[in-house]
Amino acid sequence: MAYLKELKVTYTRKRVDDDLLNKPIESPAQVYELFKDMQDETKEKVVILHLNPQLEVLSYEVASIGTATRVPMEPIEIYRNAILARASSLVVVHNHPSGSCEPSNADIAAAAKLKELGDIHGLPLQDFIVIGFERFYSFRENGPF
C-alpha cells in the first residue's frame, strides 16, 4: 500500500489597526507599524508578506525562527509559500533581538539572493526590512535595491 500526502494550509489572524490594511504597502514605515511587536522577540524571526499586484497584503507567514543571534533563511521555503499564496511580490521582515537594526553580513547576503531569485522567477522582492528596538532598516531605502 502506498501513501499520498495531502497538503493542508491553515490561516490564523493577526489583529491590526484598520488603517494599516486594505491599502497598498507604500513605505517600509507602514510595514514596521504592522510588525513592530517583533522588536520584543527573544529569538530572531523571519516573516514574509505576500502581496497582490496592487501591493496589498494577501497574507503573511512566519517563515523561520532561530536563536538570539541567527536565523536560517532558505529561499526555497520563502518562495514556495509565496507561490502557493498566489503572491505577485513579497516583503521580508526580520528582527534583531539585540535591538540593532543594522543588517548583518548574513542579512545582506540573504537579501541579495532573494532579490536575484525573485527577479529570475517574476516574483520580486519589494523590500527586506530589519527591525530593531524602536527603529528599522529598509534595504529599499538604504541598501543595494
Side-chain angles (χ1 to χ4, degrees):
M1 173 177 264
Y3 289 93
L4 180 63
K5 295 179 183 177
E6 177 184 1
L7 175 66
K8 293 183 179 182
V9 178
T10 60
Y11 295 96
T12 57
R13 290 176 166 48
K14 174 181 173 69
R15 183 176 295 275
V16 297
D17 292 335
D18 292 342
D19 59 340
L20 294 175
L21 286 182
N22 302 322
K23 62 182 181 180
I25 297 293
E26 296 174 343
S27 71
Q30 188 178 356
V31 174
Y32 173 72
E33 286 301 317
L34 283 169
F35 290 94
K36 67 182 174 186
D37 59 329
M38 286 175 63
Q39 72 184 351
D40 300 323
E41 297 283 340
T42 58
K43 294 181 179 181
E44 289 198 12
K45 184 187 284 188
V46 177
V47 172
I48 311 302
L49 276 65
H50 306 131
L51 307 178
N52 69 14
Q54 293 76 35
L55 302 180
E56 297 168 336
V57 178
L58 292 168
S59 60
Y60 78 94
E61 70 164 316
V62 176
S64 186
I65 299 174
T67 67
T69 58
R70 67 180 59 150
V71 64
M73 278 188 242
E74 294 296 330
I76 194 164
E77 297 296 326
I78 290 170
Y79 278 99
R80 175 188 301 131
N81 289 336
I83 291 166
L84 288 173
R86 298 182 179 215
S88 297
S89 61
L90 51 92
V91 173
V92 174
V93 184
H94 166 55
N95 70 315
H96 284 173
S98 67
S100 170
C101 65
E102 289 301 313
S104 66
N105 289 337
D107 295 338
I108 294 166
K113 184 68 169 175
L114 291 169
K115 178 152 179 31
E116 177 186 357
L117 289 173
D119 291 344
I120 289 169
H121 294 294
L123 190 59
L125 177 63
Q126 295 293 332
D127 205 346
F128 188 109
I129 298 169
V130 180
I131 294 179
F133 184 70
E134 296 190 1
R135 57 182 196 236
F136 65 92
Y137 181 95
S138 162
F139 277 73
R140 169 86 44 211
E141 289 184 344
N142 304 299
F145 281 25

